[in-house]
mmCIF file of all heavy atoms in Angstrom:
data_model
loop_
_atom_site.group_PDB
_atom_site.id
_atom_site.type_symbol
_atom_site.label_atom_id
_atom_site.label_comp_id
_atom_site.label_asym_id
_atom_site.label_seq_id
_atom_site.Cartn_x
_atom_site.Cartn_y
_atom_site.Cartn_z
ATOM 1 N N LEU A 10 89.968 56.644 214.078
ATOM 2 C CA LEU A 10 90.928 57.739 214.032
ATOM 3 C C LEU A 10 90.243 59.052 214.376
ATOM 4 O O LEU A 10 89.116 59.300 213.947
ATOM 5 C CB LEU A 10 91.539 57.866 212.638
ATOM 6 C CG LEU A 10 92.350 56.687 212.108
ATOM 7 C CD1 LEU A 10 92.806 56.967 210.680
ATOM 8 C CD2 LEU A 10 93.552 56.420 212.998
ATOM 9 N N SER A 11 90.938 59.878 215.111
ATOM 10 C CA SER A 11 90.437 61.231 215.353
ATOM 11 C C SER A 11 90.669 62.063 214.100
ATOM 12 O O SER A 11 91.419 61.665 213.199
ATOM 13 C CB SER A 11 91.170 61.857 216.539
ATOM 14 O OG SER A 11 92.533 62.093 216.199
ATOM 15 N N ALA A 12 90.051 63.226 214.053
ATOM 16 C CA ALA A 12 90.257 64.121 212.911
ATOM 17 C C ALA A 12 91.733 64.487 212.789
ATOM 18 O O ALA A 12 92.281 64.527 211.682
ATOM 19 C CB ALA A 12 89.404 65.378 213.065
ATOM 20 N N LYS A 13 92.388 64.719 213.902
ATOM 21 C CA LYS A 13 93.815 65.068 213.884
ATOM 22 C C LYS A 13 94.648 63.911 213.333
ATOM 23 O O LYS A 13 95.547 64.125 212.512
ATOM 24 C CB LYS A 13 94.291 65.436 215.288
ATOM 25 C CG LYS A 13 95.752 65.827 215.354
ATOM 26 C CD LYS A 13 96.190 66.164 216.752
ATOM 27 C CE LYS A 13 97.677 66.510 216.764
ATOM 28 N NZ LYS A 13 98.152 66.792 218.124
ATOM 29 N N GLU A 14 94.334 62.692 213.753
ATOM 30 C CA GLU A 14 95.069 61.526 213.239
ATOM 31 C C GLU A 14 94.855 61.356 211.735
ATOM 32 O O GLU A 14 95.776 60.998 211.006
ATOM 33 C CB GLU A 14 94.637 60.259 213.981
ATOM 34 C CG GLU A 14 95.110 60.200 215.413
ATOM 35 C CD GLU A 14 94.513 59.026 216.176
ATOM 36 O OE1 GLU A 14 93.291 58.803 216.069
ATOM 37 O OE2 GLU A 14 95.279 58.340 216.879
ATOM 38 N N MET A 15 93.635 61.628 211.286
ATOM 39 C CA MET A 15 93.379 61.535 209.843
ATOM 40 C C MET A 15 94.182 62.576 209.085
ATOM 41 O O MET A 15 94.744 62.280 208.033
ATOM 42 C CB MET A 15 91.890 61.686 209.548
ATOM 43 C CG MET A 15 91.124 60.434 209.823
ATOM 44 S SD MET A 15 89.540 60.506 209.020
ATOM 45 C CE MET A 15 88.674 59.295 209.957
ATOM 46 N N LEU A 16 94.210 63.791 209.610
ATOM 47 C CA LEU A 16 94.971 64.853 208.952
ATOM 48 C C LEU A 16 96.460 64.516 208.872
ATOM 49 O O LEU A 16 97.150 64.950 207.950
ATOM 50 C CB LEU A 16 94.777 66.186 209.674
ATOM 51 C CG LEU A 16 93.421 66.849 209.477
ATOM 52 C CD1 LEU A 16 93.264 68.038 210.414
ATOM 53 C CD2 LEU A 16 93.228 67.282 208.033
ATOM 54 N N LEU A 17 96.938 63.746 209.829
ATOM 55 C CA LEU A 17 98.355 63.372 209.865
ATOM 56 C C LEU A 17 98.646 62.073 209.112
ATOM 57 O O LEU A 17 99.797 61.663 209.014
ATOM 58 C CB LEU A 17 98.836 63.264 211.316
ATOM 59 C CG LEU A 17 98.803 64.568 212.122
ATOM 60 C CD1 LEU A 17 99.158 64.302 213.578
ATOM 61 C CD2 LEU A 17 99.720 65.611 211.512
ATOM 62 N N THR A 18 97.614 61.430 208.572
ATOM 63 C CA THR A 18 97.811 60.191 207.819
ATOM 64 C C THR A 18 98.386 60.539 206.445
ATOM 65 O O THR A 18 97.760 61.258 205.672
ATOM 66 C CB THR A 18 96.474 59.440 207.658
ATOM 67 O OG1 THR A 18 95.958 59.130 208.964
ATOM 68 C CG2 THR A 18 96.654 58.156 206.875
#
Side-chain angles (χ1 to χ4, degrees):
L10 298 177
S11 68
K13 181 181 178 182
E14 289 172 314
M15 282 197 200
L16 287 171
L17 296 174
T18 300

